[in-house]
Amino acid sequence: MSWHLTPAQAHEYASHRADDVTAMSVEAHIMHCAPCRDLLPGDEDWLAESWAGLRDVVDRPRRGVVETLLASLGLREGTAKLLAATPGLYRAWLLASVVVLVAALFAAHHLPRGSLVFTFTAPIVPLVGVALAYGRGVDPAHALTSVTPMAGQRLLFLRTCAVLVPSLALCAAVALMLPSASTPWTAAFWLLPSLTLVAGSLVLSHWLHLSAASAVVGLAWLIALASMVVSEHATPLQLLAPQAQAWWATALAALLGAILVRVRTA
């Protein structure tokens, strides 16, 4: 170093009486000169508190709106964080679901038998969301979450709930806005088939990737619709008719039982 601070210069700097140019020169110098740095009085308690506050600001994760809302509802911090950290594809699906359901509502009000669009679309809206909510290939954080204690069944079911709640709420809202002249059971009887399809995909995910399991279940739904369209003795509406609800309820109970057994033996 070509120069060093005098005690007087160090005192002026410490008491904030040095001009800006001198202060910047002193700060640049003491970064590389330990003897001059020792001339400055130090408040160890203030320094420790400042570093602690800085680490807290840098290291503390920022809560998003969704995470804050979930935490306010009483969910644990870890659970709220997992539910909020949904894949980007899930958010794209949610936006697409809104568009599809609005289009179905428009068709119900302006096209002959337009309510059928909603009738056959609503059961698979949550299923598509489940396919995009968890697993390798759809979740960028899957490699990290798969090695945490919350991975596996718990995270799968948490993500499924994160899909079911908004999707069922959206479908229910659209169902309530259907024309009053539409088929009477379309306002509510899509619910059991929808839950059954989701439960079926969760059961199949024991052997297949969740996205593939959801695709298989969705394809089965479409095949059932197509077969009843070409049948001379049945119509697709029979899949959602009041008489069919007991069969859907039975299938849902059986699938939920299989999921429960799988969780207990995992």
Side-chain angles (χ1 to χ4, degrees):
M1 294 290 180
S2 59
W3 65 278
H4 292 280
L5 294 177
T6 64
Q9 289 174 326
H11 179 70
E12 286 187 1
Y13 173 78
S15 58
H16 304 287
R17 291 201 300 269
D19 59 81
D20 292 342
V21 175
T22 302
M24 287 188 289
S25 298
V26 171
E27 289 171 357
H29 177 75
I30 61 178
M31 288 179 63
H32 306 284
C33 183
C36 289
R37 194 160 52 241
D38 293 338
L39 293 175
L40 299 174
D43 188 340
E44 298 298 333
D45 293 336
W46 173 84
L47 188 60
E49 182 179 350
S50 298
W51 276 114
L54 181 61
R55 284 194 298 269
D56 182 60
V57 170
V58 173
D59 297 336
R60 183 180 63 238
R62 272 64 169 177
R63 277 188 175 185
V65 176
V66 175
E67 186 179 345
T68 302
L69 176 62
L70 293 173
S72 67
L73 296 176
L75 293 180
R76 296 180 179 178
E77 182 180 356
T79 301
K81 192 176 298 294
L82 282 174
L83 287 175
T86 50
L89 287 175
Y90 164 73
R91 292 185 286 274
W93 159 81
L94 191 60
L95 178 60
S97 296
V98 173
V99 174
V100 168
L101 290 174
V102 169
L105 184 63
F106 179 85
H109 282 274
H110 296 89
L111 298 177
R113 299 177 64 83
S115 295
L116 295 179
V117 177
F118 172 81
T119 301
F120 300 128
T121 300
I124 60 173
V125 168
L127 182 65
V128 176
V130 169
L132 301 177
Y134 178 80
R136 186 181 295 106
V138 297
D139 186 359
H142 181 74
L144 296 176
T145 57
S146 61
V147 296
T148 65
M150 290 187 174
Q153 297 299 311
R154 182 181 180 187
L155 183 56
L156 171 62
F157 294 139
L158 284 175
R159 289 284 177 81
T160 300
C161 291
V163 168
L164 279 178
V165 172
S167 61
L168 293 180
L170 285 173
C171 291
V174 172
L176 293 176
M177 291 186 285
L178 291 174
S180 57
S182 62
T183 308
W185 56 81
T186 57
F189 282 5
W190 55 270
L191 181 58
L192 280 177
S194 179
L195 293 176
T196 304
L197 294 180
V198 170
S201 69
L202 293 178
V203 171
L204 280 180
S205 68
H206 182 67
W207 299 280
L208 301 174
H209 186 281
L210 180 61
S211 298
S214 300
V216 169
V217 173
L219 181 62
W221 171 257
L222 295 178
I223 291 175
L225 290 178
S227 63
M228 299 192 80
V229 167
V230 300
S231 173
E232 297 180 356
H233 307 288
T235 64
L237 281 176
Q238 290 178 341
L239 287 174
L240 301 176
Q243 298 83 354
Q245 295 302 303
W247 295 103
W248 286 113
T250 301
L252 178 59
L255 291 170
L256 290 177
I259 293 173
L260 184 60
V261 170
R262 173 181 167 186
V263 170
R264 288 185 173 180
T265 57

